[in-house]
Amino acid sequence: DETLYEQIVAFLDRMETINPKVSVKYVNLLTDPDFSKDYVETLSNYQIIVKSGKTSRYQILTISDFLRFTLSDGNTYSYSEAMMYVNYGGYSVSDYSSNAEEQLVSAIMSVSKENPTVVTFLTGYNESDSTTIEKILTDNAYVVQSADIDKIQEIPAETDIVVICGPRDDYSLDAVTKIDNWIANGGQYGKNLIYLATPDAADTPNLDEYLAEWGLSVEQGYIIQEDKSRAYYTGMTINLMQDLEIKEDTAYHENMKIAAGSSFVGYYVRPVTKLFDEQSNITNTVIASAYGEQCRIFPFTATEDWAPEQEEQKGYDVIVESAKVRFDGADPIYSKLIVCGSDLLFDKNFTSASNYSNGEVLLSLFDTNSDNADSDIRIVSKSFRAETYQLSSEVQITIGVVFAVVIPLIMIVTGIFVWAKRRRL
């Protein structure tokens, strides 16, 4: 589409005009074939190469990187996702748009950052799909890689943050030892581990024991929210989907850059329990929790005759940081373990909806523990076409009463009044 190319060219020219550090060059590969020799990839027409003269790193973008497609299901997808649904899912394209500005800014950030934060996703134990999380990190200048923990002797030393995303199988003791050796960093600390529990009823005794050493535990059940102003009705008899409270007295809250009117939403979230607040050189801090004290646990072992009243009603935490500290003189140096009660907290449906702040919460968990905390730019792709406006159970009940009782009653009373008045004529 010529309009899309014109938009990209206009944006690049404008960027060059307002920023003297940016230069734009157009190359014809037919007249300048030697241009390709500096790149490993085979270049073709209509590609955009974003390259930093400072770091010599580069990214190659194609026209498909700039396209966002709205399909017949009402949702917005990237080019590769859209083509998969069109070819194999029977959907059709109803509209498309460009995210050229977002992609170009992201590429510039990625190639120009001198010491980017390296994030390694561990695999090998039936982990959940982490594509959405990786995309958000890549868009924000993180270097993302993966490693099968059983196939490496040790976690790469250059790794700053390790992510364990929803393992459905328990890690071996050898794998846990590799993780512990890496996060200890020879006693120097300065490493961070983010653990996303799976909502599946996974039996992970080795991982559970390791979390307990840090003073944390992920419980065997889901949080039910009984405060109807904080819970969403999803067709289930119990309220598993709910607003979550982000604690304001942490550095994470300062880095979240949450838009007004958005909320942090949880679905099938397991409680994260602090086994202690402080012990030795470990301090545990709550980052987010379920709202209020009207929560219960729906246990994995629940039978058909289970009732919520069987469980204690109280508050529960959903994201907790455990920090080990050493001091270099008067300066504290930390290694941290951040535990989240569900990988579904950062599902694409939540991170991409403009009325949810889940993507910003995710990014804050990484930014707060990296040099990105000082960045004024946050890129979390949002879909404004396919909004998901959730109503709390309280509001849904009110609307139901109004339409099922109040309005019909008003119509009946009005009808009787009109009938009585006409009868007297």
Side-chain angles (χ1 to χ4, degrees), residues 324-336:
K324 290 184 178 180
V325 64
R326 75 171 182 88
F327 287 89
D328 184 5
D331 299 325
I333 299 177
Y334 298 94
S335 272
K336 299 178 182 179

Side-chain angles (χ1 to χ4, degrees), residues 133 136-137 140 142 194 196 243-247 250-259 262-266 286-289 291 318-320 338-342 344-347 350-353 355-369 378-380 382:
I133 301 174
I136 292 175
L137 294 177
N140 287 273
Y142 287 87
I194 296 179
L196 308 176
D243 283 335
L244 300 174
E245 179 183 10
I246 303 164
K247 301 302 182 182
T250 69
Y252 296 95
H253 186 273
E254 297 175 8
N255 288 323
M256 282 178 187
K257 316 295 183 188
I258 297 172
S262 64
S263 56
F264 180 34
V265 179
V286 176
I287 300 173
S289 63
Y291 269 100
V318 296
I319 304 179
V320 182
I338 300 170
V339 179
C340 303
S342 175
L344 290 180
L345 291 172
F346 309 117
D347 178 82
F350 294 145
T351 60
S352 64
N355 54 320
Y356 294 150
S357 60
N358 293 47
E360 287 75 12
V361 173
L362 168 68
L363 200 52
S364 173
L365 298 181
F366 291 86
D367 285 353
T368 304
N369 297 296
R378 301 286 191 278
I379 298 176
V380 180
K382 300 290 186 179

Side-chain angles (χ1 to χ4, degrees), residues 177-190:
T177 299
K178 292 176 186 177
I179 294 168
D180 190 54
N181 289 339
W182 169 82
I183 202 168
N185 196 22
Q188 297 303 302
Y189 293 1

Side-chain angles (χ1 to χ4, degrees), residues 131-192:
T131 304
T132 297
I133 301 174
E134 293 180 35
K135 177 65 167 60
I136 292 175
L137 294 177
T138 301
D139 285 347
N140 287 273
Y142 287 87
V143 173
V144 176
Q145 59 190 25
S146 63
D148 187 322
I149 187 65
D150 283 339
K151 295 181 179 179
I152 56 175
Q153 290 187 341
E154 59 183 22
I155 296 173
E158 72 272 12
T159 299
D160 300 296
I161 301 175
V162 158
V163 179
I164 301 176
C165 185
R168 294 175 179 83
D169 299 325
D170 193 24
Y171 274 41
S172 67
L173 290 176
D174 182 59
V176 172
T177 299
K178 292 176 186 177
I179 294 168
D180 190 54
N181 289 339
W182 169 82
I183 202 168
N185 196 22
Q188 297 303 302
Y189 293 1
K191 302 293 186 180
N192 300 287

Side-chain angles (χ1 to χ4, degrees), residues 4 6 24 51 53 66 93 98 131 227 245 284 305 339 396-397:
L4 179 58
E6 290 173 358
V24 179
K51 185 175 182 178
F66 301 125
V93 176
S98 166
T131 304
D227 181 347
E245 179 183 10
N284 291 332
D305 60 349
V339 179
Q396 292 182 53
I397 292 172

Side-chain angles (χ1 to χ4, degrees), residues 231-292:
Y232 300 117
Y233 177 68
T234 59
M236 302 179 67
T237 55
I238 55 177
N239 296 322
L240 291 172
M241 185 172 176
Q242 59 197 281
D243 283 335
L244 300 174
E245 179 183 10
I246 303 164
K247 301 302 182 182
E248 296 185 3
D249 56 348
T250 69
Y252 296 95
H253 186 273
E254 297 175 8
N255 288 323
M256 282 178 187
K257 316 295 183 188
I258 297 172
S262 64
S263 56
F264 180 34
V265 179
Y267 194 41
Y268 283 99
V269 184
R270 297 167 63 180
V272 180
T273 300
K274 290 193 297 179
L275 303 180
F276 54 78
D277 290 326
E278 291 187 40
Q279 184 172 293
S280 183
N281 66 332
I282 300 176
T283 301
N284 291 332
T285 304
V286 176
I287 300 173
S289 63
Y291 269 100

Side-chain angles (χ1 to χ4, degrees), residues 21-86:
K21 295 183 179 181
V22 174
S23 62
V24 179
K25 178 182 179 181
Y26 297 92
V27 177
N28 187 329
L29 294 177
L30 294 178
T31 59
D32 189 5
D34 290 339
F35 179 81
S36 300
K37 68 181 182 181
D38 294 329
Y39 303 93
V40 176
E41 297 84 353
T42 301
L43 302 182
S44 60
N45 291 328
Y46 308 113
Q47 288 180 325
I48 295 177
I49 302 172
V50 181
K51 185 175 182 178
S52 169
K54 181 170 58 176
T55 66
S56 297
R57 294 199 307 273
Y58 65 87
Q59 282 190 19
I60 299 178
L61 304 175
T62 66
I63 196 65
S64 61
D65 293 317
F66 301 125
L67 289 172
R68 300 283 293 172
F69 291 89
T70 302
L71 301 187
S72 51
D73 65 347
N75 292 312
T76 304
Y77 302 93
S78 66
Y79 175 81
S80 58
E81 291 174 323
M83 293 306 99
M84 179 182 68
Y85 287 124
V86 168

